[in-house]
Structure formats: structure tokens, C-alpha cells
């Protein structure tokens, strides 16, 4: 029996899905969406709040403020409700409506940015709004997931050790790129403890995290319009970029087998499939991290009219949803 008194005290750490029957490649998917916040962001949120409390930055009269595309906002909203804090989340128009409603259900206030910054995109505009809020009232405390070391430390202390314990002969780990907190925490851990593990970063086409030209992105979660301050490329072995149409196809392929995952997971799975198709996977033990589940995406990547309006009518052609055949 598992009894808790605070919602952040529960997280399903040991659940993996064997994707071989679905995608035709040997890949284990670590499911991080089974907690009361619904995503891996609960770990970073809990670690950042605890550190701010320990440092005396966060006090009973404080108002937490954070920029988030969705999942971290939900996690912080849940923790704020549990601990009696107030939270203001700054997001933008790409944030799913169900996500915004969930934050508001926890009692948080949500500001939605409708115009991107000319240079920094929606992220730059969100951060500028946070700076403005903090300058207007000293009760605001910005946890700042983009520069906060507790973001990556949460995964150094929890996510990576859990993977290492479950797969002591791990060869390759696929991690999505957003703030790079999950990526840096896992990459640093395996660099120090088990250098044989190859860490592959999976980023969205149009993201500038690893350079390249910025382009519009419609699916929240992964990718960024500003280079992540936490990123240290020396810990990353390879980078794979995934177009959003391929993210959608991966999500629907998983859903056709009964697994409803979010857009970030679809990106990571698609990137892992492409990488594994180019390598001899028969002798490899591969794990990918699934940041969240798919319920928050029912009005976007699982909604036909939205998909066809953004990516065209052929985005879900039947041939592209068929799993690959097994290698000999």
C-alpha cells in the first residue's frame, strides 16, 4: 500500500513500454506521466521549490511566477496548491486549453502571451513579461527553469539513476530537448558514472537549441527559440531533429496500439526510430524518455481538423502509420 499526504510525493518511476511490437525497433519507453501532475516536470518543479524554500527565497507571502509551455506550469500549480502558495504562470497561445484549465483548477493565475518577440519568439516574449512582473512587485519569485540548476539536478538525482538501475547494460538513451533540464541531468550522470552510454538529444525542427534557423513550431513541450542556458553540448553525443509532422505520426502510431502519449513523447520516439534505423540495433539496449501522456493534446495533435489545418490532409496517411518490419 502506498499512502501519501501531498500529491508531489507520488511518481511511477519504474514503468516502461516495450515498443518493439509497435515501431519495429528494440526500444524501451520510460513513462513519466503517471503522477498527479501528469508529466516529468513534477521532478524539476519539486526540486526547484524545495531549493527556493531552503534558500529562504520562497516564503509564505511569495507569489511564484514561471514561464511555461504547459507541463511545468501544471506541476508548479499542483505543488503551490498543496503548499499554500500562489502561482502565476506565463504561457502563450500554443499552450493547450486543457492545460490552462488545469492550472486554473489548482487556483493558479495564467497569463497568455499572444504576440511573439521579434528575436526570441514566444519564449522571449514570455520571459520579458516575467521580468516586468518581477519589477512591479517584490512578492514575485521567479524560479526560472531556464537557468535554475535544480532543474537538471532533479534528473541527475532521480531519473538517470532509475534508468541505470533498470538497465545496467544500457547502450543508448534518447532524451527530448526543451529547457535541457532532463537532458543535462541524465547526460551528466551517465558521463560521470557510465561513459559507455550514448546520450542522443532529440530536438524539434525549427528549434535553435543546437543552432540552426528558427522556424514556427505549433506543438508545445520540446524545442526552443532561445539557446538554453543550461545546455552544455560536451555531454551530448548526438543530436537528432524531428519535424512536427513526424511527431504527429509517431503519436498516432502509438495511439493505434492503445498508448496515448503527448507531443513531446512523439518527438522522442520518432527521433529514436530514425536513429535506430541507421544503426545495428540488434545488440543495443535502448531507452527513450516519455515526458507526458496524451490527454492534454486531444484538441490538437489528436484532433483531425486541427492537424489538417496545420500540416495538410496527408499528415496521417495510412502508410506512414504502419510499423516497420523486424530486422533479420
Amino acid at each position: 500500500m502506498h499512502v501519501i499526504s501531498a500529491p508531489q510525493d507520488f511518481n511511477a518511476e519504474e514503468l516502461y513500454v516495450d515498443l518493439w511490437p509497435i515501431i519495429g525497433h528494440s526500444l524501451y519507453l520510460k513513462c513519466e506521466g503517471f503522477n498527479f501532475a501528469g508529466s516529468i516536470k513534477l521532478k524539476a518543479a519539486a526540486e526547484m521549490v524545495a531549493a527556493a524554500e531552503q534558500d529562504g527565497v520562497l516564503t509564505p507571502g511569495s507569489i511564484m511566477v514561471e514561464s511555461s509551455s504547459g507541463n511545468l506550469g501544471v506541476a508548479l500549480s499542483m505543488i503551490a496548491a498543496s503548499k499554500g502558495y500562489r502561482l502565476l504562470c506565463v504561457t502563450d497561445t500554443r499552450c493547450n486549453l486543457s492545460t490552462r484549465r488545469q492550472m486554473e483548477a489548482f487556483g493558479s493565475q495564467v497569463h497568455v502571451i499572444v504576440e511573439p518577440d521579434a528575436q526570441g519568439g514566444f519564449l522571449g516574449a514570455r520571459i520579458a513579461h516575467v521580468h516586468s512582473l518581477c519589477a512591479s512587485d517584490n512578492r514575485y519569485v521567479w524560479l526560472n527553469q531556464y537557468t535554475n540548476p535544480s532543474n537538471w539536478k532533479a534528473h541527475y538525482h532521480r531519473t538517470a539513476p532509475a534508468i541505470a538501475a533498470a538497465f545496467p547494460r544500457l547502450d543508448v538513451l534518447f532524451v527530448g530537448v526543451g529547457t535541457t533540464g532532463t537532458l543535462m541531468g541524465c547526460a551528466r550522470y551517465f558521463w560521470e558514472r557510465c561513459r559507455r552510454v550514448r546520450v542522443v538529444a532529440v530536438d524539434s525542427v525549427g528549434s535553435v537549441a543546437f543552432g540552426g534557423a528558427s522556424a514556427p513550431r505549433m506543438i508545445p513541450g520540446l524545442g526552443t527559440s532561445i539557446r538554453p542556458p543550461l545546455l552544455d553540448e560536451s555531454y551530448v553525443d548526438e543530436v537528432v531533429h524531428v519535424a512536427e509532422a513526424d511527431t504527429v505520426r509517431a503519436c498516432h502510431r502509438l495511439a493505434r496500439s492503445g498508448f496515448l502519449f503527448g507531443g513531446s513523447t512523439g518527438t522522442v520516439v520518432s527521433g529514436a526510430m530514425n536513429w535506430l534505423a541507421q544503426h545495428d540495433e540488434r545488440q543495443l539496449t535502448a531507452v527513450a524518455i516519455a515526458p507526458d501522456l496524451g490527454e492534454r493534446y486531444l484538441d490538437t495533435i489528436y484532433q483531425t481538423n486541427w492537424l489538417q489545418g496545420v500540416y495538410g490532409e496527408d499528415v496521417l496517411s495510412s502508410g506512414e502509420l504502419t510499423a516497420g518490419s523486424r530486422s533479420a
Side-chain angles (χ1 to χ4, degrees), residues 152 183-184 186-192 195 197-200 230-238:
W152 67 260
L183 174 65
M184 285 293 94
C186 291
R188 287 174 185 270
Y189 180 91
F190 284 109
W191 182 277
E192 296 174 6
R195 189 62 194 94
V197 175
R198 180 173 293 272
V199 176
V200 179
L230 295 177
L231 177 61
D232 184 340
E233 294 185 47
S234 66
Y235 290 99
V236 180
D237 295 294
E238 293 184 50

Side-chain angles (χ1 to χ4, degrees), residues 14 20 23 44 59 69 93 99 101 103 120 126 138-139 153 172-173 192 195 245 275 295 303:
E14 299 179 353
W20 175 259
I23 67 173
T59 63
S69 61
T93 54
T99 300
R101 287 177 173 171
M103 288 188 276
R126 290 189 343 228
N138 59 15
R139 291 178 299 169
K153 287 179 180 178
V172 57
L173 176 66
E192 296 174 6
R195 189 62 194 94
W275 190 94
E295 290 88 346
Q303 212 283 329

Side-chain angles (χ1 to χ4, degrees), residues 65 90 124-137 142 144:
V65 61
V90 180
R126 290 189 343 228
I127 292 176
H129 188 66
V130 171
H131 281 300
S132 177
L133 288 169
C134 292
S136 70
D137 192 329
W142 183 20
N144 196 351

Side-chain angles (χ1 to χ4, degrees), residues 19 50 110 141 180 254 283:
L19 292 185
V110 181
V141 174
T180 68
L254 293 169
Q283 304 300 320

Side-chain angles (χ1 to χ4, degrees), residues 5 11 17 65 74 78 177 179 189 194 224 250 257 277 283 291:
S5 58
N11 188 67
V17 176
V65 61
V74 171
M78 186 191 77
V177 175
T179 65
Y189 180 91
C194 189
T224 179
S257 294
Q283 304 300 320

Side-chain angles (χ1 to χ4, degrees), residues 13 154-167 185-186 189-190 193:
E13 193 70 83
H155 305 287
Y156 182 92
H157 294 147
R158 297 182 60 186
T159 308
I163 295 171
F167 295 91
C186 291
Y189 180 91
F190 284 109
R193 309 292 181 90

Side-chain angles (χ1 to χ4, degrees), residues 20-291:
W20 175 259
I22 302 173
I23 67 173
H25 295 288
S26 180
L27 180 66
Y28 296 97
L29 189 63
K30 188 179 193 307
C31 302
E32 290 282 355
F34 290 95
N35 55 56
F36 288 98
S39 80
I40 196 171
K41 288 293 189 177
L42 176 59
K43 295 177 181 177
E47 189 102 0
M48 290 192 296
V49 168
E53 289 176 330
Q54 185 175 359
D55 293 342
V57 175
L58 194 58
T59 63
S62 300
I63 304 172
M64 289 192 293
V65 61
E66 186 56 84
S67 160
S68 170
S69 61
N71 282 339
L72 182 71
V74 171
L76 286 173
S77 294
M78 186 191 77
I79 293 173
S82 174
K83 289 177 170 285
Y85 293 118
R86 295 168 60 189
L87 173 73
L88 192 161
C89 180
V90 180
T91 188
D92 60 63
T93 54
R94 298 170 301 175
C95 179
N96 301 316
L97 178 60
S98 61
T99 300
R100 300 203 301 268
R101 287 177 173 171
Q102 189 168 0
M103 288 188 276
E104 291 169 344
F106 283 127
S108 296
Q109 188 177 1
V110 181
H111 286 187
V112 180
I113 302 300
V114 297
E115 292 292 338
D117 179 79
Q119 300 298 323
F122 276 113
L123 177 56
R126 290 189 343 228
I127 292 176
H129 188 66
V130 171
H131 281 300
S132 177
L133 288 169
C134 292
S136 70
D137 192 329
N138 59 15
R139 291 178 299 169
Y140 284 117
V141 174
W142 183 20
L143 297 177
N144 196 351
Q145 63 166 325
Y146 309 106
T147 63
N148 195 325
S150 292
N151 185 348
W152 67 260
K153 287 179 180 178
H155 305 287
Y156 182 92
H157 294 147
R158 297 182 60 186
T159 308
I163 295 171
F167 295 91
R169 297 185 62 83
L170 181 65
D171 293 299
V172 57
L173 176 66
F174 299 95
V175 188
V177 175
T179 65
T180 68
T182 307
L183 174 65
M184 285 293 94
C186 291
R188 287 174 185 270
Y189 180 91
F190 284 109
W191 182 277
E192 296 174 6
R193 309 292 181 90
C194 189
R195 189 62 194 94
R196 66 182 292 272
V197 175
R198 180 173 293 272
V199 176
V200 179
V202 184
D203 199 6
S204 301
V205 170
S207 168
V208 304
F210 291 90
S214 176
R217 291 172 289 105
M218 297 301 296
I219 300 175
L222 298 187
T224 179
S225 54
I226 298 175
R227 179 178 170 83
L230 295 177
L231 177 61
D232 184 340
E233 294 185 47
S234 66
Y235 290 99
V236 180
D237 295 294
E238 293 184 50
V239 181
V240 175
H241 285 87
V242 175
E244 286 195 333
D246 292 327
T247 291
V248 169
R249 293 172 188 131
C251 285
H252 281 259
R253 177 180 291 186
L254 293 169
R256 294 295 187 272
S257 294
F259 293 101
L260 195 71
F261 285 105
S264 298
T265 298
T267 302
V268 174
V269 169
S270 179
M273 288 170 58
N274 292 338
W275 190 94
L276 291 168
Q278 299 173 31
H279 295 77
D280 184 3
E281 65 184 270
R282 289 170 294 182
Q283 304 300 320
L284 294 178
T285 299
V287 169
I289 297 177

